[in-house]
Amino acid sequence: TPAAPARRPHAARLAAALAGPPQAMETGPRPAVTIEDAGGIDPTPLIDQLRAGDFEAADQTTRDLLIEIAGADATKRGYVYWTEARTLDAAALGAVENLWLHYSDGKFGYTVQKDVWRRQKGVFDRFCDKIGWTTKDEVTGQARKRRWFGQSEFFYTLQEAPKGHLPLTSALRGTQLLKALLQHPLWETDDWKRDL
């Protein structure tokens, strides 16, 4: 389809821009990421948010980027179907992951979550407990999932958040999207890893 080839050059430029020398990420005001096409994947807001420690904004930007990476249909509807998650562009997804790992000192990212998922044997409730997506209800005293609508109950600092807490992935429609992201073929290789 025409949409897929149009995304690949942007994703490749994104990955190439992020693979530059580490000092470009750390010493300059912002990395040399120039994506002229307004429809391209621009990681600059994510980089700026993560660099500033604004993990809440970076979390939302990550969801927005996943929608953009998934293509025109996902952009129209405003979310990614779980069936699209395993086919997300590997270069773009790898770049997003590298940024999360780099700016959280390895505490946040999909591969961190994948490791916790594996250790919890794929049991969603145990996974949520381990990464802090569960809390105790003030009224009933029962365990429940944290809420991000209205006043978010999640943690957005390195000090408060457990390992793997971010980025958040909606489970409103079930756990398939999270499972599909964690099963992306990219994570089975080292091709995505970059020293930033």
Side-chain angles (χ1 to χ4, degrees), residues 112-152:
V112 178
Q113 292 174 348
K114 179 183 170 90
D115 184 56
V116 174
W117 182 266
R118 183 186 53 77
R119 291 174 191 250
Q120 301 308 312
K121 311 257 188 267
V123 177
F124 185 67
D125 288 336
R126 287 179 22 198
F127 169 79
C128 289
D129 290 345
K130 194 71 174 172
I131 65 170
W133 286 5
T134 306
T135 190
K136 189 175 186 180
D137 189 275
E138 305 82 28
V139 176
T140 67
Q142 299 295 313
R144 66 166 174 78
K145 302 299 179 273
R146 293 186 185 276
R147 298 179 186 116
W148 74 28
F149 52 88
Q151 179 71 29
S152 177

Side-chain angles (χ1 to χ4, degrees), residues 48-59 100 156:
D48 291 344
Q49 292 157 353
L50 288 169
R51 179 182 285 152
D54 188 354
F55 293 107
E56 186 169 9
D59 182 56
W100 272 100
Y156 296 101

Side-chain angles (χ1 to χ4, degrees), residues 63-84:
R63 277 190 296 283
D64 294 342
L65 282 172
L66 289 180
I67 292 166
E68 186 176 348
I69 294 165
D73 289 342
T75 301
K76 273 189 228 171
R77 70 176 168 270
Y79 58 89
V80 178
Y81 280 137
W82 70 271
T83 54
E84 297 167 325

